[in-house]
Amino acid sequence: MSDTAKRQPRVLCIGIPVRDLTFRIEAVPGRGNKVPASSFGEICGGNALNAAIGIARLGGKAQMCGPMGDASEAAAGFIFDKLAEEGIGSSGLIHMPGLVTPISAVLVDPTGERTIVTFRDPGLWKVALPDADTLLKDCDAILTESRCSSFVTPLCAEATRRGIPVVVDVDNAMSMNEGLLTAASHLICSAEALHGTAGIADDAEALKKLATLTHAFVAVTRGPKGTLWLDDKQQFRETPAFPVHSVDTLGAGDIFHGGFTVAYGEGQDIAHALRFASAAAALKCTRPGGAFACPTRAEVDELLAKSPVGAL
Amino acid sequence: MSDTAKRQPRVLCIGIPVRDLTFRIEAVPGRGNKVPASSFGEICGGNALNAAIGIARLGGKAQMCGPMGDASEAAAGFIFDKLAEEGIGSSGLIHMPGLVTPISAVLVDPTGERTIVTFRDPGLWKVALPDADTLLKDCDAILTESRCSSFVTPLCAEATRRGIPVVVDVDNAMSMNEGLLTAASHLICSAEALHGTAGIADDAEALKKLATLTHAFVAVTRGPKGTLWLDDKQQFRETPAFPVHSVDTLGAGDIFHGGFTVAYGEGQDIAHALRFASAAAALKCTRPGGAFACPTRAEVDELLAKSPVGAL
């Protein structure tokens, strides 16, 4: 950790909260089939919201910002309760008149793998965020989702100009001339989204292609295969995954992004921040409950101290 | 139609209402994938409840009976509103302390095929129904679901003893010595449930096997392939499906059962009642909205009058 380490980095998390309806099943049903679930739960989710939970648990201060459904919508009220319980600010959430808060059916199988169907009203992308000076005041880092590019790019560009790290969770295929690719300081991609954006199915080749489009740090998370990234000399580096018995991968990628942003916001270097993120995501996978299964800072620090995996 | 035709048969529908969360998708996701939905809706469902909607729309009087979640559960309140809108009695629904009303994620693809994941708390099967004299008073027919066998069988046996038709929607594989197989007067099965119950994958062979276990009328519904059944001489008969452009098959089987029960309860013979049911189910498939897309009696009568399909 560097001498300039900051405690409790304040992270502005910009994204679209989602109602996650989780079903535990034996296997994803084939088309036309009916399958029983052994349990059901309604939690909240969405990449940035899950990451915000990670940030709050792992040592940062998180503030949520982004569009929600209509203020009269009772069904999504529990999202605010959950954010308050986690100590996450929600004053940046903006109710969109007449719209429905996004909702997901999340199917979790016995290996912990999750399969997701999500409805997001396209009108949510028309949200107008508060002005940049307000949002960036006291902001040590931004964490956002690639699918918010239509409303988040100008703010991210301004943050990058001000030297504030902008970590983007690239979770859907983006256009190669999408402004958010250059407005970000850190692009951490799922493999599918990276392949879709680069038009290349090979992780390393796709990452190289992405690096030609942006000055941002680029990485691809690959679950149990660990994280592949390009260092500042454009050399490939790998951060291994911590081997765990996985029971629920829901939100693991988001906890990874949250963990990375906290660690990097504290002043840890990239390699240490990625290892920290990897440990947080691994521990999350060992417990059911989406992002609410995120470990505490102490648990992550303990795993980092005792495990030789990826030790730096 | 026979001379003893009764108008507005009063049908006691016994089953477990379900909150149906419907998502329209391009294709059922593969394991581990995330797919977007183009629309979302929350409706109510469950076999007997859907059939009750069919009965109310098609000329009968329906009364719902069965277990629900805890009375304090706000999320399922809309089910009572929907029943009231349809003119269906709900006084037979019994709140189960501490339990959750069943919930389904229903994925509907562009061909109208539906794929369903359902959570039902096993505690719901411990419901105690009101006494038989109360329930069977003014009852012209019972329609129930095979998965309710644990709490519905004694009542069905008593109804059969009293000469009241008991139509069972066999929608899950049953044990071959399950009492409901003999307590019913009419077993109308999905193909999967029939195969699972008989342990035979061929429709005709499975139906023959089922007929050896019960005195009830036996039939298997097969979507666009029509209905296969055994007549009172134990000869195979087929009722063809009406060819339609299907956009949503959710609830189609239930509307079939509701339609059959209304028609049979009016005094129509088996062949006419099956053709009536087939017409109602076909029209339902042409519209989205689960059982709420059930046609009116007038629409079904019109299709029956003008279409040569299966004319008797």
Side-chain angles (χ1 to χ4, degrees):
Chain A
M1 203 176 300
S2 85
D3 290 343
T4 59
K6 289 186 282 187
R7 284 291 137 190
Q8 284 233 313
R10 291 153 301 188
V11 183
L12 180 66
C13 299
I14 313 176
I16 311 184
V18 177
R19 294 170 60 199
D20 272 354
L21 309 169
T22 62
F23 297 82
R24 287 205 82 97
I25 52 167
E26 279 302 305
V28 175
R31 174 171 176 272
N33 288 0
K34 292 186 182 183
V35 304
S38 59
S39 74
F40 167 75
E42 179 159 1
I43 55 178
C44 50
N47 299 35
L49 188 150
N50 284 342
I53 294 168
I55 288 162
R57 302 254 184 114
L58 296 169
K61 289 284 288 176
Q63 166 71 39
M64 266 306 293
C65 175
M68 291 273 293
D70 196 286
S72 70
E73 186 188 57
F78 76 101
I79 290 180
F80 290 89
D81 297 341
K82 288 291 183 188
L83 291 174
E85 280 171 28
E86 297 286 330
I88 298 166
S90 59
S91 61
L93 291 175
I94 297 162
H95 285 293
M96 301 288 286
L99 302 191
V100 172
T101 293
I103 185 160
S104 287
V106 181
L107 314 180
V108 182
D109 74 21
T111 71
E113 180 64 283
R114 85 288 176 278
T115 304
I116 307 180
V117 173
T118 306
F119 172 66
R120 286 186 192 81
D121 193 308
L124 293 164
W125 279 282
K126 294 184 184 142
V127 69
L129 297 185
D131 77 288
D133 284 340
T134 305
L135 289 175
L136 298 180
K137 187 167 163 262
D138 298 327
C139 172
D140 296 316
I142 286 179
L143 187 151
T144 191
E145 311 169 5
S146 54
R147 61 171 60 78
C148 298
S149 59
S150 66
F151 63 82
V152 86
T153 301
L155 179 74
C156 291
E158 177 59 24
T160 301
R161 257 194 300 277
R162 297 186 189 188
I164 299 171
V166 174
V167 179
V168 177
D169 177 353
V170 181
D171 192 37
N172 61 322
M174 298 173 80
S175 155
M176 283 197 287
N177 53 18
E178 176 62 63
L180 191 55
L181 294 178
T182 51
S185 62
H186 297 73
L187 297 167
I188 303 181
C189 316
S190 72
E192 297 80 0
L194 174 65
H195 300 167
T197 302
I200 297 173
D202 178 77
D203 293 337
E205 291 302 314
L207 214 50
K208 262 201 256 180
K209 173 82 168 281
L210 187 63
T212 65
L213 306 174
T214 175
H215 292 289
F217 165 81
V218 295
V220 56
T221 59
R222 302 172 305 174
K225 292 197 296 169
T227 302
L228 183 69
W229 48 287
L230 281 167
D231 68 15
D232 52 10
K233 297 184 186 69
Q234 297 296 295
Q235 300 297 307
F236 282 110
R237 301 272 298 271
E238 288 196 61
T239 299
F242 290 79
V244 289
H245 176 65
S246 180
V247 301
D248 177 8
T249 65
L250 178 63
D254 307 325
I255 297 303
F256 186 100
H257 289 83
F260 174 83
T261 308
V262 165
Y264 189 76
E266 286 175 352
Q268 296 189 37
D269 63 27
I270 291 275
H272 282 89
L274 288 171
R275 185 169 182 256
F276 181 88
S278 184
L283 290 170
K284 185 252 111 47
C285 290
T286 63
R287 308 168 195 173
F292 293 101
C294 179
T296 62
R297 176 65 177 243
E299 291 173 302
V300 176
D301 284 343
E302 190 191 343
L303 178 58
L304 290 170
K306 79 175 185 205
S307 173
V309 173
L312 293 158
Chain B
M1 206 175 298
S2 84
D3 290 343
T4 59
K6 288 186 281 187
R7 284 292 137 191
Q8 286 232 313
R10 289 153 301 186
V11 183
L12 179 66
C13 299
I14 312 177
I16 310 183
V18 177
R19 294 170 60 200
D20 272 355
L21 309 169
T22 62
F23 296 82
R24 288 205 82 97
I25 52 167
E26 279 301 307
V28 175
R31 175 171 176 271
N33 288 359
K34 292 186 183 183
V35 305
S38 59
S39 73
F40 167 77
E42 179 159 1
I43 56 179
C44 49
N47 299 33
L49 188 150
N50 284 342
I53 294 169
I55 288 162
R57 300 253 184 116
L58 296 169
K61 288 285 289 176
Q63 166 71 39
M64 266 305 293
C65 175
M68 292 272 293
D70 196 285
S72 71
E73 186 188 57
F78 74 101
I79 290 180
F80 290 89
D81 297 340
K82 288 291 184 188
L83 291 174
E85 281 171 28
E86 296 286 332
I88 298 165
S90 59
S91 61
L93 291 176
I94 297 162
H95 285 293
M96 301 287 286
L99 302 191
V100 171
T101 294
I103 185 161
S104 288
V106 181
L107 314 180
V108 182
D109 74 19
T111 71
E113 181 62 284
R114 86 287 177 278
T115 304
I116 306 181
V117 174
T118 305
F119 171 66
R120 285 186 192 82
D121 193 308
L124 292 165
W125 280 282
K126 294 182 185 143
V127 68
L129 298 184
D131 78 287
D133 284 340
T134 306
L135 288 175
L136 298 179
K137 187 168 164 263
D138 298 328
C139 172
D140 296 314
I142 285 179
L143 187 151
T144 191
E145 309 170 6
S146 54
R147 63 171 59 77
C148 297
S149 59
S150 66
F151 62 84
V152 86
T153 301
L155 179 74
C156 291
E158 176 59 24
T160 301
R161 257 194 299 279
R162 297 187 190 187
I164 298 171
V166 174
V167 179
V168 177
D169 178 353
V170 181
D171 192 36
N172 61 321
M174 298 173 79
S175 155
M176 283 197 288
N177 53 17
E178 175 63 62
L180 191 55
L181 294 178
T182 51
S185 62
H186 296 74
L187 297 167
I188 304 182
C189 315
S190 72
E192 298 79 0
L194 173 65
H195 301 168
T197 302
I200 297 173
D202 177 76
D203 293 336
E205 290 303 314
L207 214 51
K208 261 201 255 180
K209 173 83 166 279
L210 187 64
T212 66
L213 306 174
T214 174
H215 292 291
F217 165 79
V218 295
V220 55
T221 59
R222 302 174 302 174
K225 291 199 296 169
T227 302
L228 184 69
W229 48 286
L230 280 168
D231 67 16
D232 51 11
K233 298 185 185 69
Q234 296 296 296
Q235 299 298 305
F236 283 110
R237 301 272 298 270
E238 288 196 63
T239 299
F242 290 79
V244 288
H245 176 65
S246 180
V247 301
D248 177 8
T249 65
L250 177 64
D254 307 325
I255 297 303
F256 186 100
H257 288 83
F260 174 83
T261 308
V262 165
Y264 189 75
E266 286 176 351
Q268 296 190 37
D269 64 25
I270 290 274
H272 282 89
L274 288 172
R275 185 170 183 254
F276 181 88
S278 184
L283 290 171
K284 186 253 111 46
C285 289
T286 63
R287 308 168 194 172
F292 293 101
C294 178
T296 61
R297 175 66 177 244
E299 290 174 303
V300 176
D301 284 343
E302 190 191 342
L303 177 58
L304 290 170
K306 80 175 185 206
S307 173
V309 173
L312 293 158

